[in-house]
Each structure stands twice: as structure tokens, then as C-alpha cells.
Amino acid sequence: MDLLLHLRYFRTVAEEQHFGRAAARLRMAQPSLSQRIQRLERELGVRLLDRGARGATLTPAGRLVLTEAEHVLAAADRLTATVARVHSGAAGTLRAAVPPGLGATAVGALLTAFRERSPGATLELRELPTAAQTAELTAGTLDVGIVRHPCPAPGLAFGPTLHQPLGALLAADDPLATPPELPAAALTGRDLVLFPRAEAPALHDETLTACARHGCTPATVLAATGPDFTRGLVLSGGAVALVPRTPDEAGTVWRPLHGATVTWRTSTAWPEGKDSPAVRLFADTAHTVLRAHADMRPAPSARMVFPRPASEFPL
């Protein structure tokens, strides 16, 4: 017997005090309704209603059962509503991650936008390198993440890829800081600051390969795990950091590479087959936020870029 359904039938009869009116309200035949109430009485072992020519009235036991039934049905309605909100992505807890260096503005905008689009959900957001994210996504301890590519992880699905151009973070008094943009080749022979290879080995190698393809051969590659240490290495003299667009701060300036010759490819990722509404909501929100607040854009077109002569740049 479906207890909740039978309790709803009983409550309707109690409210109408008449089997005929209750049956009409429930859009069912009166004999069927009467049989269901009788079955509920048998299951509970008490008589709930006194039936008469003028209608149906609650027995003392029926009044007690009705009071408890109201609590049970209200709780069932709340549970159903909660489950519906979870299914729609509007409730529940979503475990998500972003890569280091995404930027305070982008992270803040992501949290705000997700909260606005899903006010009843809880977003547990962590900062994790791509390698750590792929491990947790595979293990099921992370629901969705923003990863850098290449991301060689079987069993993952990915959202649309965005490209984030890299530029040079320089000391303000560096001769290379004079022009508004630089060719990658201008960084040849300098110490190059980059994120540790262990955070995203494939991306680290791809970045250096792209630099070499555009004529940049650094003297040494230095590893830095955060913006403060990166700036410290740059300010110490001689080192140049290869990073996404960064606000100028005292002593340092950021210059784009001409023609966006070196970019990082970024997308959302989640375990294949587990794109729940909450995951899809996060992926869509992240895509919008990254374009608006992290200087990311769709794949560049195949148009030819003609670089400025290297003689225009101080070396």
C-alpha cells in the first residue's frame, strides 16, 4: 500500500466531510475512494470516519491520525521539493576546483555568478593544479573543475575550450618594458619564470615548445608557485615571467606577446557521464566568467599574423 497516497485521500475526505465531493476533487470514482479509505483503516487497525447519509465525520482516532498525517505529508512535500532542487542544480553541494593563477577577479566573479544562478546550492571551491584535479575527478572526490590543456585523463568530459594569451611580466625598468607588446623571440637568453612542471606536466612542456617555435630560448626556466614569489624573481633582475594578463603593480609591468603566439587552453572538466544539472550550471557559468574576467577567448581563427620586425624591439 502507498501510505502517503492513502493519507492524502484520507485528508481530502476529512476536509470535504463527504465521499462524493472528495472523489470529485480527486477525480476518481467514489467507490474506489471508499475502498482505499477502508484499506487504510485496516492497515492502521482503527476506524477513521463515521459514514452517514449526510457525509463523513472524523472519529476521535481519525482526528489524531489526521493531525499526524498533516506532519507526514508536509515533510514528504518538503523532501520532494528538495530533491527537485537538487536535480535542477539549485540545491546540494558541488565540489569544484580552479587552477592556480586564475586570478582573484575571475575567482570572485565565478563564486558570485554561481551563487546568483543557484542560491540554494553550496559551492565548495578549491584551488588545485590540473594534475591534482584530474586525479580527484577520476577518484570521484571532485565533481567538476577548470583545467588547463593538454589534460591527458581518460574518463573525463570537457566543456568548450578557451584560449588565454600569455605575456611577459617584467621589471618596470627593464628595456623590454618600453614597447606595448613583444615578440616571443625578445625573451631569448633571459631566465624564464613558469609554474612548476609537476602542476601540469603536459602544459609546461607545451608552453616551452610554443616559445621555442616562436624563437624564444630561455637561459634557465625557474619555477614559481604563486604571484608574490613570481614578482620577487622578476624584481630581482634578469628574470621574466610568462603569465596571463596581470595588473601592473609597483615595480612590474605586463606586456602581451605579439600575435598571441603563446596561449593556455582552458576548459571545464567532469567525470564522463556525470554531467548533473549542477555540473552543467557550473560549466556554463565558468565559461561566461572566464571570457569576461580572465581574458580568455574562443579558439583563434586561422588568419595569418604578420609579426613586427624584431629590430623594432630592444634586446
Side-chain angles (χ1 to χ4, degrees):
M1 183 185 73
D2 186 336
L3 180 60
L4 290 177
L5 182 60
H6 282 69
L7 287 176
R8 293 187 193 280
Y9 291 152
F10 166 59
R11 181 175 63 181
T12 303
V13 175
E15 290 172 349
E16 295 293 340
Q17 297 184 355
H18 194 278
F19 275 88
R21 291 194 297 269
R25 179 172 155 190
L26 293 167
R27 298 182 180 179
M28 61 189 303
Q30 180 175 334
S32 178
L33 176 60
S34 180
Q35 291 170 8
R36 291 172 185 260
I37 297 301
Q38 289 172 3
R39 183 177 180 185
L40 177 62
E41 289 175 324
R42 287 196 301 271
E43 288 287 336
L44 298 179
V46 294
R47 185 164 53 86
L48 302 173
L49 295 160
D50 284 327
R51 295 139 173 98
R54 294 186 176 182
T57 58
L58 289 168
T59 65
R63 286 192 292 273
L64 292 174
V65 171
L66 179 61
T67 299
E68 295 302 320
E70 294 286 5
H71 296 309
V72 171
L73 293 174
D77 290 341
R78 289 194 301 271
L79 177 60
T80 300
T82 298
V83 171
R85 288 167 56 227
V86 169
H87 282 310
S88 69
T93 298
L94 185 70
R95 302 165 300 177
V98 298
L102 192 61
T105 300
V107 172
L110 178 61
L111 287 166
T112 299
F114 187 84
R115 190 181 304 118
E116 289 174 349
R117 296 183 65 178
S118 185
T122 299
L123 180 61
E124 291 184 354
L125 191 65
R126 292 183 289 155
E127 185 179 68
L128 290 174
T130 291
Q133 285 196 49
T134 55
E136 291 211 23
L137 287 167
T138 302
T141 55
L142 192 66
D143 299 313
V144 63
I146 297 175
V147 299
R148 309 285 195 187
H149 292 271
C151 184
L156 296 186
F158 301 96
T161 300
L162 294 172
H163 288 247
Q164 186 176 34
L166 300 187
L169 185 67
L170 307 154
D173 58 359
D174 193 309
L176 292 180
T178 302
E181 59 182 19
L182 301 168
L187 306 181
T188 290
R190 303 289 292 271
D191 290 339
L192 189 67
V193 183
L194 199 59
F195 62 88
R197 186 176 184 277
E199 290 187 356
L203 176 62
H204 190 277
D205 295 346
E206 182 178 87
T207 302
L208 293 179
T209 298
C211 288
R213 188 166 57 246
H214 291 90
C216 171
T217 304
T220 306
V221 178
L222 307 175
T225 57
D228 290 338
F229 189 62
T230 298
R231 288 184 183 278
L233 292 175
V234 170
L235 289 172
S236 69
V240 177
L242 198 60
V243 294
R245 183 178 297 277
T246 302
D248 294 345
E249 292 188 10
T252 62
V253 295
W254 185 87
R255 294 290 180 262
L257 298 182
H258 182 70
T261 50
V262 184
T263 66
W264 282 347
R265 293 174 292 136
T266 304
S267 78
T268 50
W270 57 88
E272 200 165 20
K274 296 186 178 180
D275 54 334
S276 67
V279 166
R280 293 196 298 271
L281 179 64
F282 178 89
D284 181 66
T285 303
H287 186 80
T288 301
V289 167
L290 294 178
R291 294 193 64 178
H293 299 283
D295 194 31
M296 296 191 192
R297 60 199 71 168
S301 65
R303 66 184 178 86
M304 186 66 72
V305 176
F306 296 95
R308 294 163 58 189
S311 58
E312 295 185 16
F313 300 88
L315 299 177

